Structure formats: C-alpha cells, structure tokens
Amino acid sequence: MAKTIRQIGLRLVVALTKLCTRRARAGWKPSHRGVSLRGR
Amino acid sequence: MKRIVLGIGGLLGHDANAALMIDGRLAASSQEERFTRVKHDGVFPHRAVADCLRQGGLDCGQVDEVVFAEKSFQSLLFDLSGRPGNAFTRTLGRLLPELWGGYYTKPARALFPGARFSYAWHHLTHVAGAFHTSPFQRAAFLCVDGKGEDYSASGGVIDKGELRLLFEQPYENGLGMFYTLVTYYLGFCSFGSEYKVMGLAPYGRPTFVEKLGRLFTTDGQGGFRLRAPIRFTEESMIGAFPIVADATGVPARGGKDPLTDAHIDIAASLQQVFEDEVFKMARFVRSQTGEDNLLFCGGCAQNCVTAGKLRSANIFSDVFNSPVGGDMGSGFGAAILRERELTGGAPLKIETHGFLLGPEPGPVPDEAQPWRVPYEGELHAFVAEQLAVGKIVGWVRGGMELGARALGARSIIADSRQPRMQSMLNLKVKFRESFRPFAPAILAEDCADWFDPALPSDFMQYTAGLVPSRRNPQPAQFASLRERLDFPRCEIASVVHVDYSARLQTVRPETHPDFHRLITAFKAITGVPIVINTSFNVSGQPIVCTATEAWECFLNTDIDLLVLNDQVFRNPFQRTREEKLSWLRQFAKSA
C-alpha cells in the first residue's frame, strides 16, 4: 500500500516537475543551486 | 563531546565508500569494493562504514552527522523527467520526507537512528576533497564528471570559508559521457575502463577528430553536449554504437576482437578532443573567476594525461588534480563539506596520511608459513636486492590506499630497468592487454634528473615527459604494436610510454615513508631511483586488501616474492595454468 502511494506520489511529482522546469540549451549556465546541504 | 561526521558516497550506483571525521580530523576512509570483492561495488557501504568506525574506535550510536555525497532526489527527478532541476525541485527536496532521499537512506537510518542527515551536491564533494588536500588557500575549480545529479560539469571558486558554484553544464550527456561512450564502442565495456583508452591513445594518430566531432556540439568555452540523447546506462550506450560507427565509418569493436589501427587512432582522437575541450573549459573558468590556481576534479580528472598537460599549459599559475578524483573519494568530500558547514569556515587542514586510510592486512594465513623466506638485516634492503635481480614482488604493508591507485601499501613492484618487464607483468601477472603502460614510482628528490616537469605527483595524478637526454631515438615506423612496445626507447622502458610520457608517483619521505625507504634501498644498489609500481590485483579484481587475499592472488600469478608486513614469502608456483585461469574467471565480468 505504502509503495503504491509512493508510486502515485512520484508520478505526480514528476508531472509537476515537467510543468515547472524547462529544457536547457547546451553550454555553460550561471548556477543558482547554491551550496546548502539541506534537502535531498 | 566529540563531533562525529560520517560521509557516505556511492549513491550513483558505483564505488560505494565511507569516510569518518572526528572533530575535524580525518580518521578513516574505505571503499566497499575492498570488502565485498566486487569491483566498483555500489551497494550500501555497510562494511566500509564498519571499517571506518572500527578505525575511529566508535560505534554507530556515537555518530552525530551523516552526509550523503549526492542529492539523490534531484538525481531521480532528472532521470524521470529529463529536465534539469531548479528552485522548484530544490524546494521539493527540502519538503519531502526522508524516504525520498534515495535507496541508501533506509539502511543508514537503521544504523544511525540518532544522527542528523544531510545531502551534498555531488560535484561539490569532489571540489571539497580536492581543495582540502591541495596546497592552495584559494582557487578556482573545474569539475568535469560523468554525472552529478542533473549536470556534467561545473566551475566556481573556493577558499577556506567560501564556496561559490558559479557555472554549470546541465544534462548528463557531456564530455564525460562522450569519453565513456567511445570507450564502450572501442570494446572496453566494463565500468571505469576509460583509463585503458587513455593508455592506448599514444599508440595512435588523432586522424578521427573531425569525424568524432559529428557526435557533439561544442562552443569556444567548452560548452559540450552529445547530439543524441544518451543516458548513463550500459544499454543506452550500446544502443548508440551505430551512431558512433556512422560517424567514424568503423564498426564497434567486440571486447575480444583484435585492436586495429583504426581503433587505436580513434582512441588517440578521443583523447585529443577531450584535452581540447578541457582546455577550453579551463580558459572559461579562468576568464570568469580571475583566479590564479585551479582545482581539476571529478571523474574526468582521473585522466592524468590531460591533468599533466593542463598543469604545463600556462592557463593557470598552478593546477592541482584531485588525489582521489573518482567517486571513491566522494564520501570523504561530503564529510569535509559538512564539517565546513558545522564549523562556520574555521581553518580545516586535512591530514591524509598519504591516502593510506584503509584497513591493515591482518594475520598471515597459516598455509603461507612453509614458504617463508628468512632474511638477514633490514627488510627494505633485502627486497631491493631481489628487485635488482629481476624478481617481481608483492608488497603489502600497513593501511591500504583509498582510490584506484596503489601507492606502495598494496602494490606489485618490479625493476624499471628490466627489458620486456611491461609485457611480462601485463601477460603473466596482471592478465591484461599487453599495451597497458605501468607507472614509475620515483624518489621525489631525483625527479628532475629524469622527468620534466619535475613537479609533485604524489598520488599519480599527472603525467610528465622523460627528459630528452635520456631518450633513445625510435624508428619512424614499426612492423607491429609488439615491436613498438618492446623497443628499448630508454633505460626504464617499462615505465615510459611510447611517446616518452609517464604517469608519475613522486615518493616523499613525509608522505609515504615506507615506500620511500624501499626505493632508496633500490637506488643504493642500482643507481636508479625508480621502480615499477602497479596495483596488487589482476584484471577485473579490486586491489587486494587482506593478507589472505594477497596470498591467494600471489599463488595464481607469476609474482616471485610476497611481503606481508615484515615477513617475506616465495611463490610455490604450484598452481597449474588451468587452475589459474579458473580462478581468474571470477573477475572476467569487471576486466
């Protein structure tokens, strides 16, 4: 059950990610990711 | 109360490892493959963790902080969505519960229920590991890797208090992937075989540079991407062989097919493209940061030929290549990052003990005792005498090395002056391709007499050229690869490549005192301060860790003598060829 919920959650998260991110062109990009160790 | 930080690397599915820091002091670091005996093993590093805790005299309950060497959720999202992350994905990474932290989290939680968990950007673990083992107070960094979460290269600046990630190249199909793809296409299909292609390249001519250029787009700053959307999986790369074959006009080579001139020229061309692109990247980082010093790190920095050329290229005043460039040092780097965060930029000088951070060999197996060789006087002098008369020696003493290179704790050592020693070691001891070169271990104080530039390379991070006065001129053409290999191009031909380059280990008394003593004794007899140093294993086998593993490897190879701590043993040479081949087969998959 927990596994199924996680699978559904993951699909939702991936769908959201596709909505909220963009493809990037090749080459160097300015980095905004920071250096924090917080978060997965 | 002590501050205990445990770094865990290998979440990308290979080279699992652990590192332990106690109050800012590096106490131990080990690789899981050394215990499971599976090369590049990527399982959760239970045994490496246990070894670190044992060396630190701790138990699991005493660990305060566990830091992973990758943001595994960001990596997962990239793999599933095909999109590089942004502020949204990073927010998700902070909000979601621990179970989204990747497949290492569950076993780690079970082991360390009271610890705090954190996750480091993968490239920054490489950067931190390089910086805190470098001589620099401040430096730019260039990390070129196969894959770290959703990006393949990054650049920025680091000093003792500040770490700024300035630029990055998104997606995984960058320069590292390109090298790996062509490595597989050339028939070297086991993980981590890129160094074989690097060793093959000097035999060829870079006549395929233009054709390989059809596979990728690039710009003047090293912005690099493969045209085809290839992923970092074996299936994806094998599926892309026809694309490479179309570009080069040469079919993919099967692992057992003979190497043709075209394959060798493709290897030379690949190395040429790689060097050109790294140089472009380095110039870009120089122009953006204005820094004088460069840290070259990440998996691609293990290409010591490129590192050696980068150091001599005058793009930066000084270049430092990470001693443990691959992911086997990622836990080490992650622990340093966490330590920096916890101490708020307080000075942190890591004593690496020559990267001899693994376990001791343990007791000598009973079955070895009948073959013990009594010797009078000092061990190093006795072994040096044996080396000087052409004996091949297995040398197993003290804590073992972290990283892919043997540095004189789990090494096979031989006389660098012996003609044909390269072929003999390759075919009868290491059981690997005959073209593969060996590294010279040279007394640091004598380096300038033999190699140029005579700069430190204490962990085999760079190549250098043999000084011209020691080179024998070679004919313009050879009838075969074998003839070219065996040509006496200099006094120490076994450790000098056909282009007169060598991957040096400069040995210092302060870094590797035991090994320095041995080479000094060898020099006293022969006048030559150089021995062959290769890892104590056969093709596909992780470097031996314990005395028992060393003894087993010894019996199945043509090594003459084995040194286990202070005892010397001779090889009974009792195993038949069939028995040896049968023993070797267990490593064939990783060879």
Side-chain angles (χ1 to χ4, degrees):
Chain A
M1 184 67 179
K3 207 171 177 181
T4 311
I5 292 171
R6 188 175 181 274
Q7 282 300 322
I8 293 168
L10 189 58
R11 283 185 189 180
L12 193 64
V13 163
V14 170
L16 268 173
T17 301
K18 283 187 175 173
L19 271 177
C20 300
T21 55
R22 287 187 301 175
R23 294 187 185 280
R25 281 180 294 141
W28 290 105
K29 301 278 173 286
S31 176
H32 301 292
R33 70 179 70 223
V35 297
S36 170
L37 305 184
R38 285 179 59 224
R40 304 166 226 306
Chain B
M1 178 132 168
K2 285 179 176 173
R3 187 177 58 257
I4 317 290
V5 178
L6 182 73
I8 295 180
L11 283 83
L12 289 163
H14 59 88
D15 292 307
N17 63 87
L20 180 72
M21 293 188 74
I22 304 173
D23 284 337
R25 178 183 60 84
L26 180 63
S29 188
S30 294
Q31 292 168 247
E32 188 69 2
E33 67 158 32
R34 306 286 156 85
F35 303 100
T36 62
R37 311 307 300 157
V38 177
K39 203 164 187 182
H40 301 295
D41 205 348
V43 297
F44 180 83
H46 280 285
R47 297 163 189 85
V49 167
D51 179 62
C52 287
L53 294 177
R54 187 191 52 74
Q55 289 196 60
L58 300 169
D59 58 49
C60 293
Q62 292 172 277
V63 174
D64 306 311
E65 299 277 347
V66 175
V67 53
F68 294 108
E70 194 205 20
K71 291 199 186 268
S72 41
F73 177 66
Q74 302 299 318
S75 195
L76 176 73
L77 272 190
F78 170 71
D79 289 344
L80 294 176
S81 71
R83 303 274 178 85
N86 60 9
F88 171 74
T89 64
R90 292 195 288 279
T91 304
L92 279 179
R94 288 200 184 96
L95 295 177
L96 289 169
E98 194 76 58
L99 67 90
W100 294 80
Y103 68 105
Y104 272 21
T105 312
K106 205 170 169 184
R109 270 288 176 208
L111 274 178
F112 310 105
R116 266 199 303 189
F117 282 57
S118 51
Y119 296 79
W121 292 111
H122 183 68
H123 280 197
L124 299 187
T125 67
H126 289 308
V127 174
F131 177 68
H132 286 278
T133 52
S134 78
F136 303 149
Q137 298 299 311
R138 182 181 168 88
F141 64 81
L142 171 62
C143 183
V144 190
D145 209 4
K147 179 181 186 289
E149 291 92 15
D150 52 1
Y151 57 134
S152 61
S154 56
V157 177
I158 182 169
D159 67 18
K160 68 177 191 295
E162 186 191 22
L163 173 51
R164 276 189 294 145
L165 178 57
L166 297 173
F167 295 93
E168 62 196 34
Q169 293 198 27
Y171 296 103
E172 60 188 326
N173 50 351
L175 189 58
M177 166 75 93
F178 170 62
Y179 208 106
T180 303
L181 170 64
V182 181
T183 296
Y184 273 62
Y185 155 85
L186 287 174
F188 302 103
C189 288
S190 58
F191 180 87
S193 293
E194 290 82 357
Y195 68 102
K196 298 177 189 172
V197 177
M198 183 184 74
L200 181 63
Y203 295 108
R205 291 168 301 140
T207 51
F208 283 84
V209 167
E210 201 181 318
K211 288 178 176 171
L212 287 178
R214 297 171 190 163
L215 295 171
F216 56 83
T217 60
T218 184
D219 59 27
Q221 301 174 326
F224 185 100
R225 189 183 293 178
L226 285 168
R227 288 183 193 277
I230 298 160
R231 310 297 298 269
F232 228 105
T233 64
E234 190 171 325
E235 297 73 36
S236 180
M237 275 182 277
I238 290 170
F241 283 178
I243 302 171
V244 187
D246 275 354
T248 59
V250 179
R253 174 181 169 259
K256 296 204 165 124
D257 297 346
L259 277 165
T260 64
D261 286 348
H263 295 131
I264 298 170
D265 288 345
I266 290 169
S269 308
L270 173 65
Q271 180 66 23
Q272 180 69 60
V273 171
F274 182 82
E275 287 168 16
D276 290 347
E277 295 300 321
V278 168
F279 274 44
K280 283 197 252 174
M281 289 181 184
R283 286 193 194 95
F284 172 76
V285 171
R286 177 86 168 93
S287 69
Q288 296 298 314
T289 65
E291 296 292 330
D292 290 331
N293 299 319
L294 178 73
L295 299 165
F296 182 40
C297 54
C300 294
Q302 291 181 101
N303 192 307
C304 54
V305 175
T306 306
K309 291 181 180 175
L310 195 55
R311 188 161 65 162
S312 303
N314 287 325
I315 300 171
F316 286 85
S317 303
D318 200 358
V319 173
F320 183 77
N321 186 13
S322 180
V324 188
D327 282 1
M328 54 287 274
S330 59
F332 164 68
I336 293 174
L337 279 175
R338 187 62 180 141
E339 188 67 31
R340 281 172 63 108
E341 204 172 62
L342 290 169
T343 54
L348 184 66
K349 182 63 194 166
I350 304 294
E351 175 49 63
T352 58
H353 307 285
F355 279 95
L356 307 181
L357 298 165
E360 299 274 331
V364 174
D366 292 340
E367 62 265 35
Q369 290 304 339
W371 308 100
R372 191 166 165 185
V373 179
Y375 62 91
E376 286 183 5
E378 206 256 337
L379 171 73
H380 299 77
F382 172 74
V383 173
E385 280 170 24
Q386 300 299 313
L387 288 169
V389 295
K391 301 288 187 197
I392 301 170
V393 178
W395 183 257
V396 177
R397 284 165 61 81
M400 87 168 294
E401 299 87 343
L402 176 70
R405 298 152 186 156
L407 301 169
R410 301 290 184 279
S411 290
I412 297 169
I413 303 164
D415 187 348
S416 55
R417 304 166 307 157
Q418 298 284 334
R420 295 176 180 265
M421 187 57 92
Q422 179 185 5
S423 303
M424 195 156 79
L425 277 174
N426 272 330
L427 300 175
K428 292 190 170 180
V429 175
K430 303 283 282 187
F431 299 102
R432 65 185 199 183
E433 300 89 344
S434 61
F435 68 83
R436 303 266 296 276
F438 287 100
I442 179 169
L443 296 177
E445 58 269 32
D446 291 321
C447 189
D449 293 339
W450 292 83
F451 293 101
D452 181 33
L455 295 170
S457 178
D458 296 359
F459 307 101
M460 294 189 187
Q461 311 111 293
Y462 311 95
T463 53
L466 188 73
V467 293
S469 59
R470 292 189 181 272
R471 299 179 182 189
N472 298 334
Q474 298 184 65
Q477 282 210 315
F478 290 93
S480 66
L481 189 63
R482 158 75 39 223
E483 192 184 311
R484 193 167 181 200
L485 270 173
D486 289 339
F487 182 81
R489 52 194 167 274
C490 62
E491 189 184 350
I492 49 168
S494 296
V495 288
V496 173
H497 216 330
V498 291
D499 61 353
Y500 297 106
S501 69
R503 188 188 65 174
L504 297 185
Q505 181 191 6
T506 49
V507 183
R508 284 165 214 287
E510 58 273 26
T511 315
H512 297 108
D514 187 61
F515 201 33
H516 188 272
R517 217 163 132 197
L518 176 66
I519 304 172
T520 303
F522 181 77
K523 182 189 172 189
I525 298 167
T526 63
V528 174
I530 301 166
V531 296
I532 298 175
N533 177 18
T534 184
S535 53
F536 197 150
N537 60 351
V538 294
S539 182
Q541 182 191 27
I543 302 177
V544 299
C545 178
T546 65
T548 305
E549 287 154 14
W551 177 253
E552 187 62 19
C553 186
F554 180 55
L555 294 180
N556 285 292
T557 59
D558 284 0
I559 300 172
D560 298 297
L561 292 170
L562 174 63
V563 177
L564 292 173
N565 291 326
D566 289 330
Q567 298 178 35
V568 182
F569 302 89
R570 70 181 170 84
N571 197 327
F573 289 114
Q574 289 177 328
R575 298 266 165 107
T576 62
R577 182 170 166 74
E578 285 66 36
E579 285 172 325
K580 289 179 183 178
L581 290 175
S582 166
W583 177 78
L584 275 172
R585 269 194 282 276
Q586 65 184 301
F587 310 115
K589 201 176 161 206
S590 307

